[in-house]
Amino acid sequence: MDGIGPMLYEGKAKKIFAAGRSDQVVQYFKDDATAFNAEKRGTIVNKGVVNNKVSERLFKLLEERGVLTHFLERLSDREMLTKKVTIVPVEVVVRNVVAGSLAKRLGLQVGDAIEPAIVEFYYKNDALGDPLVNDDHLRLMNVATPAVLRELRELAHRVNTVLKPFFAERKMQLVDFKLEFGVYHNKLILADEISPDTCRLWDMATGESMDKDRFRKDMGKIEEAYQEVLKRVCG
Ligand code: UDP
């Protein structure tokens, strides 16, 4: 592509490159997989391609429904042109069903419905292991104002309102997911990715995991699950 510049940043699952314009970047999706704060590492063949295409589809859907995102254009199998944002260091998790850390922390039954959906904030900080935080903690650390947190929560619920039925129509239960937001020209917009790396998706027919839990828990058929999500979302 015209104008791909030097690498600006390398994360666990993506690399970020400069683009032709200073207010845009290129996200490159890798096959590298990590879990448990990078204690577990591996590769999921063609994960990058799946996550790029699934994210494209979901960002386009969200834009159609009035949610602003950083998505501009998919450039290739593994590259996406996006607006260059300043990431808010908060992982915004939305939960429709009890699973993962919520089940562990509160002793709740995995699979129980959460109605209405709940939103949690985690402070994005690898050294601290991304701790669960509340609004007061984020305000104390000058990470986000109460107004920004209110907006993050509202946007997260709106995204859930769009994505939950979209996945259900494709026979996948959207159990939970993680969003990241960024500031672009003084506006909060959805950034990062939405993919089987960042969502829990359960097959509605079998209850089987179709997401990164297969990697986290060594359940096998990881590549197959990612390809099936791609097929159902983009096919
Ligand atoms: N999640 C993520 N990145 C993280 C932590 C969580 O994408 O660093 C996603 C995860 O895939 C799941 C949701 O956020 O869909 C809730 O994760 P949870 O808090 O249950 O943590 P986990 O048990 O996955 O570590």
Side-chain angles (χ1 to χ4, degrees):
M1 178 246 175
D2 185 36
I4 285 203
M7 189 169 80
L8 303 175
Y9 172 80
E10 177 158 14
K12 287 174 275 208
K14 292 190 290 294
K15 295 178 188 177
I16 308 294
F17 294 90
R21 280 175 53 155
S22 63
D23 62 348
Q24 300 179 353
V25 291
V26 176
Q27 282 194 336
Y28 176 94
F29 289 77
K30 304 191 284 184
D31 286 349
D32 299 354
T34 62
F36 313 118
N37 201 21
E39 275 171 42
K40 182 183 170 101
R41 290 167 187 277
T43 300
I44 302 172
V45 176
N46 285 329
K47 169 172 87 74
V49 180
V50 172
N51 288 358
N52 190 19
K53 292 182 177 176
V54 168
S55 292
E56 174 194 23
R57 178 75 177 94
L58 300 178
F59 283 141
K60 281 182 173 168
L61 173 72
L62 288 164
E63 289 276 352
E64 282 165 19
R65 302 295 198 84
V67 177
L68 298 178
T69 80
H70 70 159
F71 177 81
L72 290 168
E73 187 189 349
R74 185 166 62 78
L75 302 173
S76 69
D77 271 3
R78 289 176 184 275
E79 291 165 319
M80 174 186 287
L81 183 68
T82 66
K83 298 165 191 162
K84 183 178 187 172
V85 301
T86 304
I87 288 284
V88 179
V90 176
E91 300 198 338
V92 181
V93 168
V94 181
R95 301 182 181 273
N96 294 304
V97 177
V98 174
S101 68
L102 178 69
K104 269 206 199 90
R105 183 179 309 110
L106 300 183
L108 300 178
Q109 185 63 45
V110 172
D112 278 3
I114 302 173
E115 195 86 59
I118 61 168
V119 172
E120 296 172 341
F121 296 138
Y122 294 82
Y123 177 43
K124 218 171 125 68
N125 183 307
D126 282 337
L128 297 174
D130 298 343
L132 176 69
V133 288
N134 68 20
D135 293 40
D136 285 352
H137 298 133
L138 292 170
R139 192 180 50 191
L140 170 70
M141 295 185 293
N142 292 315
V143 168
T145 63
V148 165
L149 295 172
R150 205 175 315 121
E151 200 178 341
L152 289 177
R153 203 176 266 112
E154 253 173 51
L155 287 167
H157 280 295
R158 257 169 73 196
V159 170
N160 190 44
T161 300
V162 175
L163 295 189
K164 196 180 156 188
F166 176 86
F167 280 107
E169 282 158 20
R170 289 154 183 82
K171 302 290 172 260
M172 291 175 279
Q173 185 174 28
L174 180 58
V175 171
D176 56 33
F177 56 96
K178 183 264 298 178
L179 303 173
E180 292 185 29
F181 293 85
V183 179
Y184 182 76
H185 295 316
N186 282 320
K187 265 208 189 82
L188 260 184
I189 66 173
L190 185 59
D192 194 49
E193 65 179 280
I194 312 176
S195 71
D197 270 12
T198 63
C199 301
R200 280 197 175 87
L201 299 166
W202 292 353
D203 188 317
M204 281 179 156
T206 65
E208 280 211 58
S209 291
M210 305 176 67
D211 54 64
K212 204 163 101 177
D213 270 350
R214 302 200 73 84
F215 170 78
R216 291 189 188 98
K217 301 183 193 169
D218 291 318
M219 298 165 84
K221 296 213 188 294
I222 305 171
E223 277 86 3
E224 290 85 342
Y226 275 68
Q227 290 300 326
E228 181 62 24
V229 173
L230 176 65
K231 197 170 104 189
R232 292 194 199 180
V233 168
C234 300

